[in-house]
Amino acid sequence: MNRGRMTVEKYQVARKKGTIKPFQKQPVEDKFVTCEIKYDGKVLGLNQMYSGGWQKRMTKLKPIKAHFAALILDANIPELKYMELTVYHNTRFDIDNLAAMVKPFVDQLRAKEVIPDDTKKFWDHLSIAYDPQVKKKQLLFVIKGQVA
């Protein structure tokens, strides 16, 4: 349900019409991209992630972050001024539990300089949805963004 939420496409139309003013002057011909990244590795929920303390959490996260870094580099995503992220899953986890996988993914987008920072200026929309068409135990990260 997209009740009034500002998508990249709506933003582009509003900018061309002049109904919203940018923080910075932007070129007339902005380029938008969509990229899909499929993750077939171990999926951890928030409960698993935060049980056992900081050191255990870092031990669990290290291989996941490395896997995300490799997938992001392979996807060859251009540097983005702004992005929206949708995560589709077919796992046993509740939607809120999957936030544990979003954080390291976005951290790697920042580390690989796809986005300058993970603040609301560059990223202000996240959606997580169950999709039975996604392969079992898989996460599908869909990035929609404005090329820098």
Side-chain angles (χ1 to χ4, degrees):
M1 296 184 200
N2 294 339
R3 287 189 226 145
R5 111 179 146 76
M6 179 63 77
T7 63
V8 172
E9 292 81 11
K10 285 181 183 177
Y11 177 80
Q12 185 180 26
V13 170
R15 281 284 297 123
K16 285 184 180 176
K17 287 182 179 177
T19 55
I20 61 172
K21 302 291 184 235
F23 291 109
Q24 303 170 348
K25 190 161 181 73
Q26 296 179 355
V28 175
E29 294 182 24
D30 290 332
K31 183 177 176 188
F32 294 90
V33 295
T34 300
C35 179
E36 293 185 357
I37 296 177
K38 294 177 182 175
Y39 173 74
D40 289 311
K42 184 171 181 150
V43 177
L44 298 175
L46 278 174
N47 296 332
Q48 292 171 299
M49 191 71 73
Y50 286 98
S51 65
W54 182 85
Q55 286 181 323
K56 284 189 179 180
R57 183 168 54 250
M58 291 304 114
T59 302
K60 293 174 192 175
L61 273 176
K62 190 173 183 178
I64 292 171
K65 284 184 171 184
H67 195 158
F68 284 158
L71 290 172
I72 290 165
L73 287 174
D74 287 347
N76 201 22
I77 307 167
E79 184 181 342
L80 302 175
K81 289 191 234 182
Y82 171 81
M83 74 161 194
E84 294 179 353
L85 179 63
T86 304
V87 183
Y88 297 98
H89 76 102
N90 189 352
T91 68
R92 63 181 177 83
F93 291 102
D94 297 331
I95 288 173
D96 57 343
N97 254 326
L98 290 173
M101 297 300 289
V102 174
K103 172 87 171 117
F105 182 78
V106 173
D107 286 348
Q108 288 305 307
L109 288 173
R110 189 174 33 101
K112 300 302 171 202
E113 298 180 351
V114 172
I115 55 175
D117 200 0
D118 57 359
T119 62
K120 64 186 172 209
K121 182 177 178 182
F122 305 104
W123 174 55
D124 68 355
H125 178 79
L126 168 65
S127 178
I128 303 173
Y130 170 76
D131 185 348
Q133 294 187 13
V134 173
K135 189 173 118 183
K136 284 271 188 201
K137 299 182 180 180
Q138 184 180 72
L139 299 177
L140 174 63
F141 294 91
V142 179
I143 302 164
K144 291 182 180 178
Q146 182 181 15
V147 177

